[in-house]
Amino acid sequence: MRMSVIGCGYLGAVHAAAMASLGHDVIGIDVDRERVETLSAGVAPFYEPQLTELLRAGLEAGRLRFSTSMTDSADAAVHFLAVGTPQAPNADAADLRYVDAAVDALLPHLRPGSVLAGKSTVPVGTAARVAERVSGTGATVVWNPEFLREGWAVHDTITPDRIVVGAADDPAGRRAVDLLRDVYRASTEAGTPFLVTDLATAELVKGAANAFLATKISFINAMAEIAEASGADVTLLADALGHDTRIGRRYLGSGIGFGGGCLPKDIRAFAARAEELGRGSAVGFLREVDAINLRRRDRAVQLVVDALDGQVVGRRIAVLGAAFKPFSDDIRDSPALDVAVRLRGLGADVVVTDPAALDNAATAHPQLNYRVERDEALRDADAVVVVTEWDEYRREMSPQHAAELVTGRIIVDGRNCLDAAAWRDAGWTYYGMGRR
Ligand code: NAD
C-alpha cells in the first residue's frame, strides 16, 4: 500500500522503516531538511537498535523514500501523522502547533477516500477537530495511537501488544478501519489484537496507558520514601509485591523516576485536558505522581551531598548515564542529566559518560564535562552516581576494577540496578534509593 508518514522523529522514522519492511511503499515527510538527508542516506538520526538495518533495507528495495515536500505524499492511500506534541511553553497542556501545521500542509493533497491516521499523542478531542478541518476533502480521519518504547521501537512497531484504531461509526469510518486492517495485516495475522473504537476512546487509550505506567512507577517511588523513613528496603518490597499476579513486577523499579519525551509531558497534558473538560479532580492524583517523580531526583542529589559530608564544591563526581533510559540517546527531560546538572549547580566537578547520548547531552549542557570511556569518567572521582541502567554499568562494571580508578569509594545507585553486596564487599559505601 502507498502511504506517507508525516514527521520522522523517534516515532515517524521507525514507523516509516517498519511499514516498508512489511512490504508497503512509504514516503517519509519531515520539515527538517538535515533529517531527511540523513534518513535518505540510510543513517538513523538517533540511536535505536535495528533502525539502521531496516532503513537501508527499505531504501535499497525502493520501498522507502524521504522528502521535505508534502506534494510527494499526494498519491498515498494512508497518511500517518507522527509529528511532535511537546509540552506547551509555560503551560502543562500539549502544544498542538505541529499537528495543526502538518494538517494544514497536507490539506491540498488529501483526496476523497484517502485516510489521515493520527499517531501522535494528543489530548482527547483533537481528532474530532482535525476531522472537522479536513471535512470537505473527502478524506477520513482515524486515530491510531502509538505505544512503542524507545530502545524497542522496531520490535514494538512490527509486533505491538495491540493495535487501536479510533474511527467514526459510519461508512467512511468503517472503510478507513478496513484500510488500516490491510496496513497491519502482517501483525494481526501473527496474533496482535486489533481494537476498533471511536475517535475519543482511541486518543484516551494512549493518555490513560501513560498515566497508568507513570502512576505505577511513582507508586513504588512513594513506597521508597516510606522505606527510607522506616528502615525498610523498597527493592525487597517490590519483589514481594510483584509476585502478586494482580500487581506484577514490571514498572515497579524504584529509582530516580521516569523522564523522556513522553511520560512527563503526557501526564501533564492529560491533567490539563481533564481540567478543560471540567473533570480535573478525576485525575488530580497525576499532579502527585509528577511531584513524587521529581522528588526522587532531589533525593539522589541529596544522597551524593550527604555521602560527601556536604563538601561538594570542587569535588569530582562521575555520573554514569545521560539518556533517560538505556538503549536510547534521548535526553528529553532525562532524570539522569537533571541529577548531573544539579550537582554541577552545587559546584561539583561533574564528569558524565553514556554509551549513546553524549552528543545530545553535550549540546544541551555544555557546562558539564564528558568522557566517552566509562573508566575515564571514573578516574579520580570522589563519588560515583549511576543514573541510567545501561548494561555497561549494571552488568559489566566490576566494583574491584572501578575501585582502582576512583579517589573515593562512594557509589549512589540511582536505579537500584547494582548488586549492593558485591559493591560493599569491594570496599565501597553503597547508597540505593529507598534502601538502607
Ligand atoms: P520528535 O520530536 O522526535 O519528532 C517529531 C518530528 O516531526 C520531527 O522530526 C519534526 O521535524 C517533525 N515535524 C514537525 N512539524 C512537522 C510538519 N509540519 N511536517 C512534517 N514534519 C514535522 O517526536 P517523537 O518522539 O517522534 O514523537 C512524535 C509523537 O509521537 C508525539 O506525539 C509523541 O508523544 C508520540 N509518541 C512518541 C513515542 C516515543 O517513544 N518517542 C512513543 C509513542 C508516541
Side-chain angles (χ1 to χ4, degrees), residues 6-13 29-32 35 46 70 81-86 97-103 105 119-122 145-150 206 210 261-262 265-266 324 330 332:
I6 300 158
C8 295
Y10 284 89
L11 163 56
I29 309 277
D30 203 292
V31 288
D32 182 338
R35 173 152 295 194
F46 45 82
M70 201 65 98
L81 185 67
V83 298
T85 49
R97 81 177 82 166
Y98 305 103
V99 170
D100 292 336
V103 170
K119 292 203 76 65
S120 301
T121 304
V122 292
E146 179 57 57
F147 304 98
L148 68 82
R149 300 161 296 169
E150 284 177 25
K206 175 65 187 176
N210 277 356
C262 290
K265 61 111 175 151
D266 286 349
F324 85 99
D330 197 344
R332 291 179 288 184

Side-chain angles (χ1 to χ4, degrees), residues 315-321 349-354 369-386 392-394 396-412 418 423 428:
R315 307 294 291 281
R316 194 174 181 89
I317 300 173
V319 175
L320 307 188
D349 173 13
V350 173
V351 183
V352 179
T353 187
D354 188 284
N369 296 312
Y370 296 96
R371 297 285 184 282
V372 174
E373 298 300 328
R374 182 197 67 205
D375 284 1
E376 290 311 307
L378 290 172
R379 197 173 296 286
D380 299 329
D382 293 301
V384 179
V385 198
V386 178
E392 280 83 346
Y393 317 136
R394 199 164 65 101
E396 294 160 18
M397 184 166 64
S398 136
Q400 288 80 11
H401 175 67
E404 287 168 13
L405 298 169
V406 299
T407 304
R409 294 184 187 181
I410 292 169
I411 187 143
V412 174
L418 303 176
W423 284 79
W428 289 78

Side-chain angles (χ1 to χ4, degrees), residues 208-224 234 238 241-255 257-258 263 267 285-286 289-290 292-293:
N210 277 356
F212 187 86
L213 294 173
T215 303
K216 199 169 175 191
I217 297 168
S218 277
F219 174 82
I220 200 64
N221 281 332
M223 295 306 106
V234 75
L241 287 174
H243 282 294
D244 186 326
T245 51
R246 294 169 302 177
I247 297 174
R249 183 65 171 83
R250 293 181 72 194
Y251 275 74
L252 279 188
S254 55
F258 57 80
L263 285 194
I267 60 166
F285 65 92
L286 289 179
V289 165
D290 203 1
I292 293 165
N293 190 54

